[in-house]
Amino acid sequence: MEQYELIVIGSGPSGRRAAVQAAKWNKRVLVIEKSPAIGGVSVHTGTLPSKTLRETVLNLSGWRERTFYGRSYRVKDNITAADLLERLHMTLEHEVENLEHQFVRNKVDWAHGLAHFIDPNTLEIVDDAGESTRVRGDKILIATGTQPHRPDYIPFDGETIIDSDEIIELKNLPRSLAVIGAGVIGIEYATIFSALDVTVTVIEPRDTMLDFIDREIIAEFTHLLRLQNVTFRFGQGVEKIEKTVGGGSIIHLENKRIVKADMVLFSAGRMGATDKLGLDKAGVPTDHRQRIKVNEHFQTEVPHIYAAGDVIGFPSLASTSMEQGRIVACHAFDQDAYDAPEYFPYGVYSVPEISTVGMSEEEVQQRGIPYECGVCHFRETARGQIMGLSSGMMKMIFSLKTRRLLGVHIVGEGATELIHIGQAVLNLKGTLEYFVENTFNYPTLAEAYKVAALDAWNRMPH
Ligand SMILES: Cc1cc2nc3c(=O)[nH]c(=O)nc-3n(C[C@H](O)[C@H](O)[C@H](O)COP(=O)(O)OP(=O)(O)OC[C@H]3O[C@@H](n4cnc5c(N)ncnc54)[C@H](O)[C@@H]3O)c2cc1C
């Protein structure tokens, strides 16, 4: 039986990062992946596909140019599902090639097959033909991610009633779409389809959405989506879904209202992909959503078995998963691991996009910190005018006592890139003065930092 110093189950961001990091210290590493290509949810069904679809939709629909040329402006008439998928497949193929090369360069072995535990150090890998191989690992990392939650009352058919993994196999663009679940994934897809002029209804049993984001930003975002013709049905759960003769669906809500749609995207939660791992043989427990609990070093209850990435729950991001993978490798091989800074950025790639770092105004209030805010609307910047931005805003929060930056919240074009300036200042414990005293390139959207900081400065004691 082959013996490895580290075996990683799953080739998503956390698994890959841990594997490559350990290999750089000349450790013998094996990655086991059940899909035919490496990359994980991040590359094949999640992050990259959704972001590539978004970019393609914005380009082909001429979305960014509509302020100048009118709402009916299109770069390409009659955009089809095939137009969207063509670019998607090209992007994914390139990314898989990059990742395979990274494994080859770093001498990381990888095996295709479904892994399950035989005992705490032994795994069996079963390939598509049913052939099995056993391997042993000194350390094992479970990086198996999540799979969409598919409750029995939703009649999934893979074409008109789908989950978010199935959206990348879309055959036709619907005229109307109902999205059940106003989490990050649901909202991203709702707004991407809305940019294609698909009539979108979002159904969410709770009264609010994206609760981890500053409420003022969400108020602005919701207003913009309503202007974009997105309809919200908040506070209403789904009772049942009835398929119609024409191929569409009628969604019956608990309050007896109905929503008709050509296509239904069910996007209400994901479950840890641990059901086939045989975790009982390893002595690793899971919670009600099949996720694994870990300590600060990402160790499970069995110290040589680690877990990282989405399988451990929040924040469930590709970006944070990679960092977790690095920390696992450092801890497993007694290398110094610097702790990740307290604040990491969160990006929601909706249309318009949202990004946030640090405390929201609600959090600052809960902690009783005296504070002041500064706001800049992108249309106030010269770059915003050049780009024809009629919407978009940045909100910064500063401590009145220390003048330190506490949080930055952005909705609008470029938010997920712009946020990193705020992140740097925040984690380096910078103050309002950084933004007031430094020169920013002109014209840029980054200048919004200066405008928002000056807005706060005007209201703060000097
Ligand atoms: C639609 C969508 C959009 C997203 N957008 C973003 C975004 O914009 N930014 C961001 O940072 N994050 C985003 N995410 C989240 C991001 O994709 C995840 O946080 C990230 O992929 C988690 O990485 P991971 O290391 O847990 O592994 P995953 O990427 O989840 O991969 C796990 C791998 O394990 C394999 N596996 C599972 N069980 C076994 C087994 N028993 N044997 C062998 N292999 C197995 C699976 O096949 C899979 O390849 C998005 C997710 C989704 C679904």
Side-chain angles (χ1 to χ4, degrees):
M1 205 187 310
E2 293 276 352
Q3 177 85 30
Y4 290 88
E5 286 163 289
L6 174 67
I7 298 180
V8 177
I9 316 173
S11 65
S14 61
R16 281 195 320 267
R17 186 69 191 267
V20 169
Q21 182 67 72
K24 285 191 189 295
W25 294 318
N26 294 322
K27 303 295 171 194
R28 192 153 189 250
V29 182
L30 173 71
V31 175
I32 309 170
E33 172 54 61
K34 73 176 161 72
S35 301
I38 58 170
V41 167
S42 168
V43 172
H44 297 284
T45 50
T47 316
L48 250 72
S50 56
K51 268 77 265 186
T52 311
L53 279 179
R54 178 184 191 273
E55 202 55 32
T56 312
V57 165
L58 293 184
N59 288 338
L60 293 184
S61 68
W63 176 263
R64 294 187 174 104
E65 308 299 322
R66 288 191 191 170
T67 319
F68 292 117
Y69 306 124
R71 287 178 67 133
S72 54
Y73 174 77
R74 297 286 177 280
V75 169
K76 182 181 187 299
D77 289 327
N78 301 323
I79 301 167
T80 63
D83 292 327
L84 303 183
L85 298 192
E86 193 184 333
R87 180 160 161 176
L88 178 66
H89 292 136
M90 280 161 63
T91 311
L92 302 194
E93 274 167 31
H94 285 142
E95 184 61 9
V96 170
E97 205 180 295
N98 275 343
L99 300 179
E100 283 178 352
H101 185 214
Q102 194 187 29
F103 275 6
V104 171
R105 261 192 346 255
N106 289 288
K107 301 194 172 27
V108 173
D109 290 347
W110 86 275
H112 167 50
L114 186 75
H116 64 100
F117 282 91
I118 300 295
D119 63 49
N121 287 92
T122 312
L123 287 159
E124 185 166 69
I125 310 167
V126 184
D127 69 14
D128 297 342
E131 298 285 324
S132 65
T133 324
R134 289 190 179 187
V135 285
R136 277 183 71 78
D138 300 337
K139 311 274 171 163
I140 294 175
L141 167 61
I142 302 169
T144 50
T146 52
Q147 51 211 13
H149 172 46
R150 288 171 66 101
D152 293 341
Y153 69 93
I154 304 290
F156 290 101
D157 62 12
E159 282 195 16
T160 59
I161 304 178
I162 57 173
D163 66 32
S164 66
D165 281 4
E166 292 167 325
I167 215 158
I168 54 164
E169 284 150 26
L170 203 67
K171 293 201 175 59
N172 298 301
L173 279 186
R175 289 165 68 100
S176 54
L177 170 72
V179 176
I180 304 175
V184 174
I185 297 171
I187 287 297
E188 285 187 356
Y189 279 124
T191 60
I192 291 170
F193 277 86
S194 158
L196 283 171
D197 288 322
V198 172
T199 307
V200 177
T201 307
V202 176
I203 301 164
E204 167 58 53
R206 290 171 311 136
D207 292 326
T208 53
M209 63 172 167
L210 306 177
D211 292 340
F212 60 97
I213 293 173
D214 187 278
R215 288 296 90 190
E216 193 177 354
I217 294 292
I218 291 300
E220 173 75 3
F221 179 66
T222 312
H223 168 71
L224 293 173
L225 296 200
R226 288 205 165 108
L227 290 181
Q228 245 166 258
N229 277 337
V230 175
T231 306
F232 290 98
R233 296 274 176 262
F234 281 122
Q236 298 158 41
V238 172
E239 210 171 58
K240 65 170 180 179
I241 300 182
E242 197 188 327
K243 289 182 76 165
T244 61
V245 184
S249 293
I250 299 178
I251 304 167
H252 296 260
L253 303 182
E254 281 161 355
N255 67 355
K256 306 303 168 207
R257 221 171 160 176
I258 58 162
V259 175
K260 288 187 193 169
D262 288 347
M263 194 169 97
V264 179
L265 169 64
F266 185 83
S267 173
R270 296 180 65 93
M271 310 286 283
T274 53
D275 51 333
K276 300 196 175 73
L277 278 174
L279 287 178
D280 49 324
K281 306 267 174 48
V284 175
T286 56
D287 68 11
H288 65 289
R289 295 189 76 175
Q290 295 171 11
R291 291 174 306 203
I292 299 173
K293 209 168 137 225
V294 290
N295 66 14
E296 72 275 25
H297 307 299
F298 300 97
Q299 287 170 295
T300 66
E301 284 185 14
V302 184
H304 74 274
I305 302 180
Y306 293 77
D310 285 12
V311 77
I312 63 168
F314 185 83
S316 295
L317 287 170
S319 51
T320 48
S321 297
M322 288 183 226
E323 283 310 289
Q324 293 171 1
R326 181 186 59 78
I327 294 169
V328 166
C330 290
H331 189 265
F333 298 110
D334 298 323
Q335 302 285 330
D336 285 342
Y338 49 89
D339 290 336
E342 187 179 0
Y343 294 113
F344 57 87
Y346 209 113
V348 181
Y349 290 79
S350 40
V351 184
E353 62 192 58
I354 301 177
S355 200
T356 175
V357 68
M359 284 185 252
S360 64
E361 191 170 345
E362 293 71 34
E363 271 180 273
V364 172
Q365 286 170 354
Q366 272 162 21
R367 294 193 194 190
I369 304 171
Y371 71 99
E372 191 48 86
C373 298
V375 168
C376 171
H377 293 276
F378 286 174
R379 61 173 181 271
E380 294 172 64
T381 66
R383 183 76 198 180
Q385 290 299 332
I386 294 168
M387 293 168 74
L389 299 182
S390 54
S391 66
M393 69 178 262
M394 175 185 293
K395 171 176 172 178
M396 297 170 85
I397 308 176
F398 297 97
S399 159
L400 274 185
K401 254 197 223 152
T402 62
R403 302 177 78 81
R404 266 177 56 185
L405 178 65
L406 301 175
V408 180
H409 312 284
I410 311 172
V411 54
E413 188 65 29
T416 53
E417 298 283 355
L418 284 170
I419 200 71
H420 296 107
I421 299 174
Q423 178 195 8
V425 176
L426 187 78
N427 282 329
L428 292 169
K429 308 191 189 326
T431 63
L432 172 84
E433 277 61 39
Y434 173 88
F435 300 99
V436 174
E437 289 164 13
N438 274 279
T439 303
F440 284 72
N441 271 337
Y442 175 89
T444 55
L445 287 183
E447 215 200 332
Y449 276 102
K450 201 176 205 34
V451 179
L454 286 170
D455 184 44
W457 188 86
N458 286 335
R459 284 191 235 123
M460 284 171 70
H462 303 296

